[in-house]
Every structure is written in structure tokens, then in C-alpha cells.
Amino acid sequence: MTTAPVLTARQVSWRRRRASAARTWEQFRHRPSGVVGLGILVVFAFVAVAAPLLANSSGLEVTKATGGILESPSTSYWLGTDENGRSVLTLLIWGSRVSLFVGLLATAISMGIGTLVGLASGHFRGFLGAALFRVTEWFLVIPFLPLAIVLASVLGRSLLNISLVIGITSWPGTAMLIRAQTLSIENRPYLERAKVLGSGHWRQMSRHVLPNVMPMVFANTTLTVAIAILSETTLSFLGLGDPLRVSWGTMLDAAFSTGAITTGAWWYIVPPGVCVILVVLAFTLVGQALEEIFNPRLRERS
Amino acid sequence: MSVRTEVAEVTAAVQPTERRRRGGRGRYVLSKVAGSVGALFFMLVFNFFLFRVLPGDPVRTLGRNRLVSDKQVAELRQTLGLDQSLPRQFVTYLENTFTGQFGLSFRYRQPVSGLILDRLGPTLVLVGTATVLSTVIGIYVGMVSAWNRGRPVDNVSTWSGLVLYSMPEWWLGLLLLAVFAVGLGPVPGLFPVNGLITTGVDMWSVAGLLDMAWHLTLPVITLTLAYVAEYSLIMRSSLLDEMGEDYLLTARAKGLRDIHVRRRHAARNALLPTTTLVALNLGFVVSGAITIETVFSIPGLGLLTTEALSVPDYPLLQGTFLFFSAAVIVANLAANLLYGLLDPRVRT
Amino acid sequence: MTPLLEMRDVHVTYATAAGPLPAVRGVNLSLEPGESLGVAGESGCGKSSLAATVLRLQPPNATVRGSVLVTGKDVQTVDWGQLRALRWGEAAMVFQGSLHSLNPVQRVGDQITEPIRLHDGSVSPARASERVGQLLEQVGLPAASARTYPHQLSGGQRQRVMIAMALACRPRLILADEPTTALDVMVQAQVLDVLTGLVRGLELGLLLISHDLSVLGTTCDRVLVMYGGRVVEQGAATAVFDHPQHPYTRALARAFPRVGDADARFSPAGLAGDPPDPRNLPSGCTFHPRCPRAIDVCSTHEPPVRWPEPDRPVECVRVEGAETAPGTAVAAGR
């Protein structure tokens, strides 16, 4: 007599998750804009990770600069040099690390706070939920750049601080989205059952609400990274970036303050901007494709 | 959230449920005003605690590179009122804020409020012009895009919108500056490289006004392009949402031409969520002002803020933060109230 | 006398990314002035697609074959001027779900005025407003409700507004597409009363579409039953409702329990299976997978039309009846 293999609950839910991930990928594959975005991201991720292989890190040190000042591109310096004689291409490659790192760290902070607040304000119905919602709303109205500027000027200039600043200024958007999702999920009957069976708040949220909220959170995360990278570039351009590190934003700040505009040093101005556009566009395309997949309301029209 | 999700959420929120709501306009106005007052108060509290909650002695922080002797430290402590109890400080802070006293700028040694008022004009002109232009153009482009969904017109405008959206607006400014002000290769620059007005020209004469317009041309173009991207994407999304509605079929069945159905019913109704979303994204307008003024050296509030960063001139930074935030909160309220006038579903 | 509405071998096919989707596959019907014709069937059977063709309101990706004649004019081929006159002027529609079928930010009175002034630009605002008031009172609403917005009215009131609006340009034909679905039963009855009262009083033609056979049974003279894009049974309403011939019609009739039917109280008879996927229609008779009376030939051959009574065509091989329409020319040799 044969019997079917018995699966534990955990194995069942694992299989289910793998299957739905496979389905998501299947749908994603058929969205050309999303695939293009993903391709671009893979390229930049590779550049960031493989930076030491692609460009010698000594190229970043001002004292070891070998090129002339603001030289136009040549065979020895494919993208010319900066005001210190460093190769712009080297700066660009290493700068990708900082720009991507800050973008991701800031997003992690923003998503962390945003998810917590969003879940709580959607789940807890009484005073706590309402209070959290109000605070989120108020925070949302305050304009990003003035707030980021004051915070950054107080905290000081470092990678961690700039990530913190961006994270603190962007969590309300996420919180609102997650709250809306939480509210719509909580209307569903199976959660009633969980409550009746005695699940505590934490268990309800983590076991039931969170997994259903995750897809939209994931789509939102991608879009948040796009905005975080744009923000880091802007803040660095205004002089709030880490003075010890090179990012695409600090490159543009340096270009602007050393008069690359007037001397026509386009190799210093154009490449960092193009990189930012490509990366932000890529994250946006991926995020929009994911949103379409997870939010059926968006699907009929594009 | 992407533009499309925002539009979907906003449109869904306004759909009236089958239950009739009571209270109507009064309730709506009250709730929006209360929300704005709450936001203002929250911002004031936040501003207050900004320097006092962080680790370390606030006086040391504020006087980081500038104070030497203990006497100076003690003086500054007293000036800032930090020798008093926290609640007392807060009250003083509120009093000062409501009477327009934001302290003295470290850099200019003048009252911050005066500096803000002085520099307000150029910012208003810059932002005002760009907003008006970009709203009109953006809504039109969004409309045409939505009506021609999938066709080349739509694809071109949507993609260029996305690219502009992914671009830091100040970088576009740098490019325009390099190409049109400095000149590219053999082509000479057509516009001034910086500033609001050529030195020596009287600002209020006709020549002066023309001169200012010439100076503001590139900055306004840059900001307009940046805003247009956002607004056209919003309008397109709103209109596409609207075009799926059943009442448009009813309108067609009554004998209306397609073009009238689209204009009189769909587009008109799509302006409503567009207004809400434009209001939600007002912070974006302010950020644009700050960065573009910096790039083009326009002596407005934005440049004042970035100049304050170098010292760092904390009283000035706090003052501009307060001003910008209050401006956005008030503008947001105005937009919400305007929406309340336009959409009968919220006021009846 | 020319029929008010006539459809000859109408096919409606949608072009989709996944291939052509046949929603209506060869429908013939005719409606005389003053007659009420009901169209019954489940969702997806093609009844709404059929209704849309009457005023050329089908979506752009739909292709219509065959002819749809309103007062003798071929709707699908007339020029714009004639179509505009037809729309609302000769035939008007009453849609379902009127919270979405009415413009949410426009006053109800303005929405009724719109077609009036569209069809006759010379009408002054005062006269139009008077007419709007009359129309609203005809459906049992106070004239002052012209100033309300759709969301301020109840579902039943909104549906009555839709009816008033449909009558605005004095059409001769009313097409009501699920006008009472989503309304409470009591309100349903009210709205149907209003509709049928007006239709009879003004001697209009009515094409009433509903999945609810009982609604059609009480309001219509004749009924068509659609399944999978075709008409499977036709006839006088009482006859079709009381003595359904086609197995599908029987199942549909049984699904609504009737007073006095003790068995139905405990087990409302449903119909197993799902409506057919238009892209993947069953071979032979479209209904055969769900049919309790199916035999071998049902899966291989299209069902023939049988006439168990005059004017009572049924597309089913299991139905006893004449093989040609009684009264038509008899084929040679019979």
C-alpha cells in the first residue's frame, strides 16, 4: 500500500511561496519595460560590486592623481579628468558604490519605519491607530528638501547620516501605502477567524497581514530606491554628501563649484547625470512593472 | 508610490459609497483646516526639538566652528534661551515664531525674517511662472497622451516624462546652462550665466523687467520641464482611469460625439484627482526652487538656504525650513479647499 | 409594418490579444412597435454585446456581422448624422448600476437636459428645464430632484432617473440592460412597475435584458433565451416560463423557486458546470457538457431547430416538434 508523503505546514507554505514567486517572475518576464529596467540594474550592480576589478582604487586619491586638470577625454583617460587630475571614469565606477549603497540603506530605513507604522496604524483601530495615521499625514505634508537640509546640517556629513536623513524623510509615503493595504486585507474574513482563535496582535500582523502586504511593499521598495538615489544625488550636489567619498552627486557638486560649466568640461557633467538617470529609470520601470503585477486595478491600462 | 498607484488610490477614495454622508461641506472644510493646523503645529514642534534632542550640547553644535571662549558660549546659551527650562523655552519659541522673530542670521548678522522677505520676490516669480506654465502644458500633454494611448504621441510623451522624472532637475539646468548660456563649441551663449539682473540696470524700468525676464528664461524653462513631466503623468493616469467609467458610455449613447465625451465628461472629471495629486506633490515644487536657484544663482529663498549650509547658519536654516514648510502646508490646504468647491461628492 | 428592431444573423466578435472571441453567434430577432421582448441568459452569454449593437455602442475591438435594423435603418452602416438622430431619438438605453452610469459630478437634471438640447438646439433652457421636471414626475420623482447629484439618491431613485433620461427625446424603443440587478427586491418591483407602466402608456417597444427569468416572465410579451452567443429558445413569455422546452431554459426556470413548489424550498436546483469559454466552445451543441439530456449526437452535430408550437423555435435535438417553422413554405417532397 502506498501513501502520499506527508508535508509539514511549513513545507506547504514554502512550496506555495515558491510557486507564487515563479508566477510573478513569469508575469514579469512578459513586461518588456520591466525586463529592460532589470537588465540595467544588473549591469550597474555588477559595476558597483566589481569596482576594484574595473578601476584601481588608488585612482580616487587626490595626492596620487596623475592626469592634468580637467583634461578632455583621451585614450589614457576615457572620460577625461576632474579638477584634481583624477580619471573621471574611475570616479564614476567607484561612485556607483556610494550612490547605490546610500540608496539601498536609506530605503531599508524608510521601509522599516514605514512598514511598522503603516501596519500598526492600519491594524490598531483605536487611539493608537488614529494617532499614528495623523502623525504620518502631518509628516507627509512637510516638503522633503528643506527638511532634509536642516536634518543633514544638524547631523553632519557622513554616509550613514545622509542615509538616515533620506530614510526619515521618505517613510510617510510607504506608511500610507501599507496602511491602505492593511486596511483592505483586514476586511477579509480569514483574519476574523484568526482573531477568534486567539491570535495576538503581533501574530496576526506578522503571520497573516504582512505576507499579503509584502508584494505591494516589494513594488514600493523598488520605487523608493529610485527616489532615494535621486535624493542622495541632490543632497550631495548641495554639499551635504560625505566629503571623504565620491558619489555621482559629489562629482556634480565638484564639477559645478570648480566651474566645469564655464570651461565646458562636459565629460565631468554629463556621465554622472546619465548614470543617475539610467539607474533611477531602471528602478522605476521595475517598480512599475511589479505594481502592475500586484495591483490588478492597474492592469487593464498602462 | 508611483504616480499610477497614487491616482488609483485617490480616485477610489472619492467614490461615494451607497450610504449617504452627512455634514457635507462644513465637515470637509473643518477636517482639512484641522489637518493643516495639526501639520503646522507638528512642524513647529519638530523644528523646536531639532537641535535639542540630538546628542551633545546644542550650543556646541550651533557654535561648532565659531566659538572660542567659555564666555562666548555662555552668551550664546543665554541668547538662545537654553538656560531656561524646556517648557519655558518652547513657549518662548512659539511666541517668537508667531511674532516673526526667527533670530539673527550668523552669516549676515541681520534678522532672519527680514532676509526671507527680501529674497521672497524672485522665488515667487520663478516658481509661480514655472507652475502656471507647467500646469497648463502638463495637463494638455497628459490629456492628449491618454486619448491616444498606445500610439506614438503617447509613447513619446510618456517616455520623455519618465526620463525627465528620473533626472535631477538641477542637472538639466546645468546642461541648459552649459549649452545656452555658456555656449557650445562655435555657438555662442544666448542667455546670462547667472543672477537675476545685470548690474546697474534699474529693476523696475521696462528695460530692467525685460532684463530680468531674460535672466529668468533658462531657470523657468528648466523648472517647467521638470514639473511638466510630473503633471502630465498625473493627468494621463487620471484620465485613463476616468475613461473606463460607465457614464461615458451613457454619454455616447445619448448621441454625443466622441470628442465631446472626452472633453466635457472624461477630461473634466479627471481634473479632480489631478488637483488632489498636484496638491500632494507640492513639496516637489519647493525642492525645485531650491536647486534651480542654486544652479542659476538666482538670489531667492532657495539660494539663501543653500548658502546658509556652508556656515552652517542655523537660525537661517531653521527660518527657511519653517517658511517653506508653512508655505507648502498652506498651499496644500488651499488646493484641498479648492477641490472641495469643485467636487460635489465631498460637499453635499 | 416595419419592425421597430430587427436583427438578422448578427455576429459580434471581439479581437483580443489571445485571439478572436465570439460573443454573439448568429442571432435573429424582431420586435414590433409596442411589444416587450425579454432576453434572458447567464453572464457571458452575449446579451449585453447584443444590446450594444443596437446603437452601435460596441467597443472598437468588436466586429459586427449581419444586420441590425432600427425602424428599418441599418445602424451599423448609417452615417454619423443619422446615427446621432437614432441615438436617444429613436432608441434609448437604460443601463445597470446607475451609480457609475451617471456622471457623478453633474446634477441629474443637467444630465437629462443634455440629450434634449443635443437633439434640438433650439430648445430654450427654460423649456428644457420644464421638460426635465415633467420627465422626473412621470417616473415618480419630484421635479426639484433635478438639482440633486447622483450620490444623493438611492439606487431605486437613480434607476428611475435613468428611465426618465431615456424618455427625454421621445424614443420609440427602450433597451434596458439589467435595469434592476443590484436593487433590493421591493425596489426592483417598483422600478419595473414604473418602466412597464410608461412603456405601455407611451406604446413604446422594450427590449429588456436580465439574467432573472422571473422578472422577464412578468413584464415581457415574448422572451428569448441566450446561451453561448446563440438563441436557444424563443416564445411567448408565459409559455417559456411555465413550459420551458430547452434543457437550459428548464434549469434556468427551476433555479428560481416558486411559491407552492415544496421541493424547491430545500434544494434550489442549480446547474452544474460553468458558462462556456467563448474562445473554447464545446463541439456540437454548446450546452451539451452541462445538459442532463445530452446524447451522443449532441457533441458532434449542431442542434437543429424544432418548433414544438408555432412561434416557438427551440435549438435542441431532444425537443419534439416540427422541423420547419409551421406556416412557412414546406420543402419539396414533404
Side-chain angles (χ1 to χ4, degrees):
Chain A
M1 187 172 69
T2 53
T3 48
V6 173
L7 296 172
T8 62
R10 181 163 292 179
Q11 282 174 315
V12 169
S13 70
W14 251 119
R15 284 199 183 184
R16 223 182 285 156
R17 294 224 178 110
R18 265 215 309 252
S20 72
R23 261 182 316 209
T24 308
W25 171 244
E26 188 59 35
Q27 286 185 301
F28 188 81
R29 258 183 351 125
H30 286 106
R31 286 175 158 79
S33 59
V35 174
V36 166
L38 191 61
I40 297 177
L41 287 183
V42 166
V43 168
F44 275 98
F46 171 73
V47 167
V49 167
L53 300 172
L54 295 167
N56 201 325
S57 65
S58 65
L60 294 175
E61 291 179 49
V62 177
T63 45
K64 294 203 189 134
T66 48
I69 295 178
L70 288 177
E71 272 182 13
S72 51
S74 59
T75 42
S76 42
Y77 293 104
W78 291 358
L79 283 178
T81 61
D82 73 343
E83 76 281 8
N84 294 307
R86 299 180 288 181
S87 157
V88 169
L89 184 59
T90 307
L91 295 175
L92 205 65
I93 291 173
W94 282 89
S96 69
R97 284 194 159 192
V98 174
S99 296
L100 285 172
F101 173 72
V102 171
L104 292 170
L105 181 57
T107 304
I109 296 172
S110 165
M111 296 305 287
I113 306 177
T115 309
L116 226 77
V117 173
L119 271 179
S121 79
H123 179 80
F124 293 107
R125 289 308 163 93
F127 178 72
L128 181 60
L132 285 173
F133 174 58
R134 289 292 158 205
V135 171
T136 314
E137 242 190 354
W138 292 336
F139 229 113
L140 199 54
V141 193
I142 299 178
F144 156 69
L145 198 55
L147 179 59
I149 287 177
V150 227
L151 272 178
S153 65
V154 167
L155 288 175
R157 303 156 60 181
S158 76
L159 281 191
L160 178 62
N161 284 339
I162 206 175
S163 310
L164 217 70
V165 167
I166 298 174
I168 292 175
T169 49
S170 57
W171 69 261
T174 309
M176 280 300 199
L177 178 70
I178 290 179
R179 177 178 181 275
Q181 289 281 301
T182 308
L183 285 176
S184 78
I185 286 173
E186 297 233 334
N187 280 329
R188 297 186 199 166
Y190 69 84
L191 207 62
E192 293 269 327
R193 231 177 289 142
K195 283 188 209 173
V196 168
L197 288 175
S199 298
H201 287 297
W202 181 244
R203 196 193 179 98
Q204 282 177 46
M205 290 207 284
S206 61
R207 281 290 198 84
H208 298 287
V209 182
L210 198 56
N212 282 288
V213 164
M214 280 324 269
M216 276 309 272
V217 169
F218 187 46
N220 189 248
T221 306
T222 323
L223 293 165
T224 310
V225 178
I227 302 195
I229 294 180
L230 264 181
S231 308
E232 182 273 327
T233 313
T234 302
L235 289 175
S236 298
F237 174 70
L238 293 175
L240 294 167
D242 191 329
L244 302 172
R245 313 277 185 151
V246 173
S247 78
W248 294 328
T250 58
M251 285 174 76
L252 288 167
D253 179 25
F256 183 61
S257 10
T258 57
I261 308 279
T262 35
T263 53
W266 57 268
W267 56 91
Y268 203 7
I269 307 170
V270 173
V274 170
C275 286
V276 170
I277 296 177
L278 284 175
V279 172
V280 172
L281 191 61
F283 273 111
T284 306
L285 289 175
V286 171
Q288 282 186 345
L290 287 175
E291 263 189 346
E292 250 176 67
I293 295 175
F294 295 132
N295 186 350
R297 251 198 313 217
L298 294 176
R299 225 176 277 162
E300 295 101 47
R301 43 170 216 79
S302 71
Chain B
M1 272 190 271
S2 79
V3 168
R4 289 175 314 159
T5 311
E6 282 189 337
V7 172
E9 296 285 324
V10 164
T11 323
V14 196
Q15 300 300 336
T17 51
E18 281 291 341
R19 288 194 327 270
R20 223 105 57 89
R21 285 191 310 217
R22 286 176 280 137
R25 176 189 278 162
R27 192 156 166 261
Y28 178 75
V29 168
L30 211 65
S31 80
K32 290 300 171 188
V33 170
S36 291
V37 168
L40 275 171
F41 189 70
F42 177 72
M43 184 262 299
L44 285 174
V45 171
F46 187 83
N47 200 8
F48 174 75
F49 279 106
L50 203 53
F51 297 101
R52 282 154 239 254
V53 184
L54 296 158
D57 180 6
V59 188
R60 298 256 174 238
T61 315
L62 293 172
R64 208 176 278 154
N65 299 319
R66 306 173 45 254
L67 300 181
V68 181
S69 71
D70 283 341
K71 180 162 173 289
Q72 282 179 314
V73 171
E75 263 181 16
L76 188 59
R77 194 184 297 277
Q78 204 187 36
T79 323
L80 293 170
L82 288 168
D83 48 347
Q84 298 166 322
S85 68
L86 205 62
R88 185 84 193 88
Q89 284 182 42
F90 188 62
V91 172
T92 315
Y93 166 74
L94 284 180
E95 281 172 1
N96 287 343
T97 309
F98 283 115
T99 51
Q101 293 175 51
F102 299 127
L104 282 178
S105 152
F106 284 169
R107 186 181 178 190
Y108 294 100
R109 302 224 157 268
Q110 288 171 37
V112 168
S113 45
L115 287 168
I116 291 181
L117 281 173
D118 275 344
R119 303 274 211 129
L120 188 54
T123 306
L124 283 179
V125 172
L126 177 62
V127 170
T129 317
T131 306
V132 168
L133 280 175
S134 60
T135 312
V136 170
I137 300 175
I139 286 181
Y140 183 72
V141 170
M143 254 194 338
V144 172
S145 245
W147 288 346
N148 293 297
R149 198 230 301 197
R151 297 219 276 264
V153 167
D154 180 30
N155 289 331
V156 165
S157 74
T158 307
W159 277 98
S160 27
L162 273 177
V163 171
L164 278 172
Y165 193 69
S166 308
M167 182 189 298
E169 69 283 352
W170 45 267
W171 186 75
L172 179 64
L174 288 176
L175 285 186
L176 288 178
L177 198 58
V179 171
F180 292 108
V182 176
L184 201 65
V187 180
L190 298 167
F191 292 95
V193 177
N194 57 18
L196 183 63
I197 196 161
T198 319
T199 38
V201 181
D202 174 17
M203 190 159 63
W204 298 112
S205 66
V206 173
L209 289 173
L210 282 175
D211 186 58
M212 279 204 288
W214 182 55
H215 276 85
L216 283 175
T217 310
L218 282 184
V220 167
I221 290 180
T222 316
L223 265 186
T224 304
L225 281 172
Y227 297 159
V228 159
E230 175 100 10
Y231 294 156
S232 69
L233 286 176
I234 289 177
M235 182 64 184
R236 180 182 182 274
S237 251
S238 302
L239 189 49
L240 282 178
D241 257 351
E242 208 65 34
M243 276 163 64
E245 290 292 316
D246 291 334
Y247 68 85
L248 295 180
L249 184 64
T250 312
R252 278 177 65 212
K254 288 196 256 185
L256 266 175
R257 271 183 202 276
D258 276 349
I259 184 138
H260 289 143
V261 172
R262 290 191 306 198
R263 268 190 229 257
R264 289 187 209 164
H265 291 270
R268 189 172 289 181
N269 289 14
L271 283 177
L272 291 174
T274 304
T275 313
T276 307
L277 280 163
V278 165
L280 278 179
N281 286 304
L282 280 173
F284 185 66
V285 170
V286 162
S287 306
I290 296 176
T291 53
I292 295 297
E293 281 184 24
T294 309
V295 166
F296 289 95
S297 303
I298 308 285
L301 280 179
L303 188 58
L304 190 64
T305 310
T306 42
E307 281 172 348
L309 276 174
S310 49
V311 179
D313 190 345
Y314 290 114
L316 193 54
L317 282 172
Q318 274 192 303
T320 51
F321 167 67
L322 219 91
F323 181 82
F324 278 127
S325 301
V328 169
I329 292 174
V330 169
N332 205 0
L333 178 64
N336 282 330
L337 292 178
L338 177 67
Y339 182 84
L341 280 175
L342 295 173
D343 189 342
R345 288 172 291 188
V346 295
R347 57 183 161 94
T348 43
Chain C
M1 185 152 71
T2 18
L4 201 47
L5 172 66
E6 203 181 339
M7 292 199 190
R8 298 183 194 151
D9 196 31
V10 172
H11 293 252
V12 180
T13 313
Y14 292 101
T16 66
L21 201 150
V24 179
R25 305 180 301 130
V27 166
N28 296 285
L29 68 83
S30 114
L31 180 71
E32 302 295 323
E35 199 185 350
S36 300
L37 178 62
V39 179
E42 296 170 302
S43 25
C45 71
K47 38 194 217 294
S48 288
S49 304
L50 193 69
T53 62
V54 176
L55 287 177
R56 208 155 100 193
L57 288 171
Q58 68 274 12
N61 66 333
T63 333
V64 179
R65 284 191 345 257
S67 35
V68 180
L69 304 166
V70 175
T71 57
K73 295 179 274 260
D74 188 339
V75 172
Q76 298 291 325
T77 57
V78 293
D79 63 36
W80 166 250
Q82 291 178 302
L83 182 63
R84 211 237 302 249
L86 259 172
R87 283 183 180 169
W88 233 248
E90 302 244 11
M93 287 192 75
V94 175
F95 294 98
Q96 171 204 351
S98 53
L99 189 54
H100 295 289
S101 297
L102 289 169
N103 189 333
V105 300
Q106 211 182 7
R107 290 184 210 271
V108 148
D110 292 335
Q111 299 191 45
I112 301 180
T113 310
E114 191 177 30
I116 297 177
R117 305 203 66 201
L118 201 63
H119 281 77
D120 184 1
S122 69
V123 173
S124 71
R127 265 189 46 216
S129 156
E130 218 186 286
R131 173 118 178 93
V132 168
Q134 277 173 2
L135 288 163
L136 286 170
E137 286 177 349
Q138 263 188 326
V139 295
L141 290 169
S145 51
R147 291 190 52 76
T148 60
Y149 289 96
H151 68 276
Q152 295 172 292
L153 303 170
S154 73
Q157 287 172 323
R158 277 195 298 270
Q159 211 61 16
R160 283 187 272 167
V161 164
M162 294 288 283
I163 296 173
M165 190 160 73
L167 297 171
C169 300
R170 304 177 210 277
R172 296 176 53 205
L173 170 64
I174 301 279
L175 299 142
D177 189 353
E178 306 271 12
T180 54
T181 313
L183 292 177
D184 294 334
V185 179
M186 294 300 296
V187 181
Q188 250 186 40
Q190 258 180 8
V191 170
L192 277 176
D193 275 346
V194 167
L195 184 61
T196 48
L198 284 166
V199 161
R200 282 191 226 292
L202 297 166
E203 287 173 4
L204 306 171
L206 174 66
L207 186 74
L208 180 57
I209 298 171
S210 180
H211 63 271
D212 187 341
L213 204 57
S214 58
V215 159
L216 300 174
T218 49
T219 52
C220 298
D221 303 319
R222 282 177 40 232
V223 162
L224 291 177
V225 180
M226 279 186 76
Y227 186 83
R230 293 189 62 81
V231 177
V232 297
E233 183 166 354
Q234 265 194 59
T238 39
V240 172
F241 197 44
D242 290 337
H243 308 288
Q245 296 289 317
H246 192 279
Y248 175 64
T249 322
R250 290 202 182 162
L252 210 57
R254 272 207 319 271
F256 295 92
R258 273 172 293 160
V259 175
D261 187 352
D263 295 327
R265 270 173 61 220
F266 294 102
S267 49
L271 186 60
D274 296 313
D277 179 0
R279 282 182 290 249
N280 219 351
L281 291 168
S283 56
C285 171
T286 329
F287 187 58
H288 85 259
R290 301 164 83 185
C291 184
R293 302 188 68 206
I295 51 180
D296 286 337
V297 70
C298 296
S299 56
T300 52
H301 289 79
E302 295 252 336
V305 182
R306 298 274 168 82
W307 273 261
E309 293 154 34
D311 281 333
R312 197 84 156 77
V314 182
E315 272 187 13
C316 182
V317 74
R318 301 297 307 275
V319 167
E320 304 278 320
E323 310 219 334
T324 50
T328 55
V330 171
R334 291 268 191 112

